[in-house]
Amino acid sequence: MTDTDRHILSTDNSNSADILIIGGGIAGAAAAYEVAAFSSVIVLERESRCGYHATGRSAASFTENYGGELVRRLALASRAFLEAPPPGFSDHPLLSPRGMITIGRADQLELLQQALEQARALVPSITRIEVAAVIARVPILRRDYVAGAFVEPHSREVDVHGLHQGYLSAAKKRGARILVNAEVRSVERKSGRWWLTTTAGTYCAPTLVNAAGAWADGIAGHAGVRPLGLVPKRRTAFNIPAPAGIDIRGWPLINDVAEEFYFKPDAGQLFVSPADATPSAAVDAHAENLDVAVGVERLERATTLNVQRVSRSWAGLRTFAADALPVVGPDRTAEGFFWLAGQGGYGIKTSPALSRACAGLIRGRELPDDLKGLGITAAQLSPDRLRGQADPRRATST
């Protein structure tokens, strides 16, 4: 340890903590909330406000029928928190009614049946719905387009801002420090601690949680930890004016079974996405005109709308591991380095479960009982699965 390091530790305890969390989006904020219950925490956010990137650009939908089976189980494990957060967490409900209807064309009926069977295996309340009933609820849908559908009646709208701010506020009440404009410039392990040089100063802790979203592999590289091959993928969304003379407020989210588009009401307009997933560098993502045009074309094909104007368009990065599952757990090649990444666009709805999993694993304990009861295991979340079990740096014994 250098004299400068000793000076930081001896004169400025505010620059040291038990745990440093890189990233103040939904993953880092939720982890800070859970971890601050038993450890001192500092969150380092590179932007001027937390949640600027993927968290602030979410579709804001809570569904137990989107993503792979593990993601769906994590959503099931998150519902109770979202429906009834702890006292003082939020002064209003985090969820509001917004069912989801999945539709399919005539050439997609086999895929629709497979999706329905998969959905009902975990969520029995999901049922088939007659096409006439779908069009009665969303009258802009074309009768010659929709050949079949099923409904998830208990899907909900999420107040993403309220959830994210709830995590941050509650974490602060537990003693966590949330620092913005703190872009990480270097990461070094020495004297049993991770030392981070940032644009806001130097910080250190024995444990480092990498919740940097699209930048997570880059942070690993800074730390001398082998990246996991996480891939940020751009997802585009845009708003268009609501159809004249139609009250859209009670419409469900309409989702194409082949994940080619989805749309729903959004603050008096329609929120539309072509459900794109274009690999991207870790950047401040922006909507491409071509992707917006694709979304408009797919929407017009499925509905009677003739889109004359796009009110606003934007894009966010959803970061995926190779198997499209979240990565939560210690890196066995680097002491005190912990992954919380690869949420793949499912980070909002799974944040209660993933943050509790994160907290349990950081403490060296098992996953919470309710997660284990849903068949979720630490091995499914572990970064080990992305590297294989054979690693020459891993100690072996006989």
Side-chain angles (χ1 to χ4, degrees):
M1 184 183 299
T2 67
D3 290 341
T4 299
D5 296 341
R6 292 190 183 92
H7 178 73
I8 289 174
L9 288 176
S10 63
T11 65
D12 192 355
N13 289 331
S14 66
N15 281 41
S16 65
D18 297 322
I19 297 171
L20 294 177
I21 297 176
I22 302 177
I26 197 71
Y33 164 68
E34 292 291 349
V35 172
F38 57 84
S39 293
S40 59
V41 177
I42 297 175
V43 176
L44 302 171
E45 167 57 47
R46 59 176 283 161
E47 305 296 348
S48 61
R49 60 180 173 85
C50 293
Y52 173 78
H53 290 287
T55 298
R57 308 175 196 191
S58 164
S61 175
F62 176 80
T63 167
E64 294 159 331
N65 185 42
Y66 192 62
E69 184 173 324
L70 177 61
V71 169
R72 299 179 191 208
R73 293 180 187 275
L74 288 164
L76 287 169
S78 297
R79 183 172 205 123
F81 182 98
L82 296 173
E83 287 184 329
F89 186 89
S90 174
D91 59 5
H92 61 277
L94 296 173
L95 300 182
S96 56
R98 178 78 64 206
M100 182 172 81
I101 294 178
T102 299
I103 62 173
R105 303 184 303 265
D107 62 310
Q108 295 174 320
L109 288 179
E110 183 176 351
L111 177 61
L112 191 73
Q113 178 61 31
Q114 294 171 355
L116 175 60
E117 292 173 359
Q118 180 186 38
R120 286 183 53 80
L122 288 178
V123 188
S125 62
I126 294 176
T127 59
R128 192 181 302 278
I129 183 173
E130 294 297 326
V131 171
V134 176
I135 295 175
R137 293 182 65 176
V138 185
I140 62 171
L141 287 168
R142 291 185 181 274
R143 294 180 181 274
D144 59 354
Y145 185 93
V146 182
F150 60 81
V151 60
E152 181 183 357
H154 302 302
S155 175
R156 292 291 182 262
E157 190 93 352
V158 184
D159 178 356
V160 175
H161 178 76
L163 176 63
H164 183 230
Q165 291 302 311
Y167 283 134
L168 292 173
S169 176
K172 290 177 183 177
K173 290 177 182 177
R174 290 177 168 178
R177 294 183 62 208
I178 315 294
L179 304 179
V180 296
N181 296 313
E183 181 178 358
V184 174
R185 296 294 178 82
S186 67
V187 183
E188 184 179 6
R189 181 77 179 182
K190 55 185 177 180
S191 304
R193 294 170 179 261
W194 288 103
W195 293 79
L196 275 63
T197 302
T198 79
T199 50
T202 299
Y203 300 89
C204 63
T207 300
L208 176 61
V209 177
N210 181 7
W215 288 263
D217 262 0
I219 290 296
H222 277 310
V225 175
R226 185 149 54 98
L228 297 179
L230 304 177
V231 179
K233 296 184 179 182
R234 189 177 66 248
R235 171 60 56 91
T236 304
F238 56 91
N239 283 137
I240 61 172
I246 300 179
D247 184 357
I248 69 171
R249 289 174 295 178
W251 285 7
L253 184 152
I254 297 295
N255 178 52
D256 169 70
V257 69
E259 298 188 19
E260 294 181 354
F261 69 93
Y262 52 88
F263 68 90
K264 66 167 189 169
D266 179 37
Q269 300 199 69
L270 281 180
F271 171 108
V272 187
S273 175
D276 50 326
T278 307
S280 169
V283 297
D284 184 1
H286 297 279
E288 300 285 344
N289 290 337
L290 178 60
D291 294 325
V292 173
V294 168
V296 168
E297 187 278 330
R298 292 174 180 175
L299 180 71
E300 290 183 336
R301 183 183 177 195
T303 71
T304 58
L305 294 177
N306 180 13
V307 177
Q308 299 296 313
R309 177 170 64 90
V310 171
S311 306
R312 184 172 72 96
S313 62
W314 65 96
L317 297 182
R318 306 154 78 242
T319 303
F320 291 83
D323 56 8
L325 300 178
V327 185
V328 185
D331 192 302
R332 56 187 166 82
T333 71
E335 182 183 1
F337 191 95
F338 198 94
W339 291 88
L340 178 57
Q343 287 88 351
Y346 314 115
I348 304 295
K349 70 176 185 178
T350 61
S351 59
L354 286 179
S355 59
R356 290 190 297 118
C358 175
L361 294 172
I362 283 177
R363 299 182 82 175
R365 300 180 178 179
E366 296 183 342
L367 297 182
D369 288 342
D370 63 314
L371 272 66
K372 292 193 294 182
L374 286 167
I376 300 168
T377 68
Q380 291 171 321
L381 299 170
S382 172
D384 288 351
R385 73 182 198 270
L386 301 173
R387 291 181 171 155
Q389 296 303 308
D391 191 311
R393 290 171 292 181
R394 185 179 188 181
T396 59
S397 60
T398 56

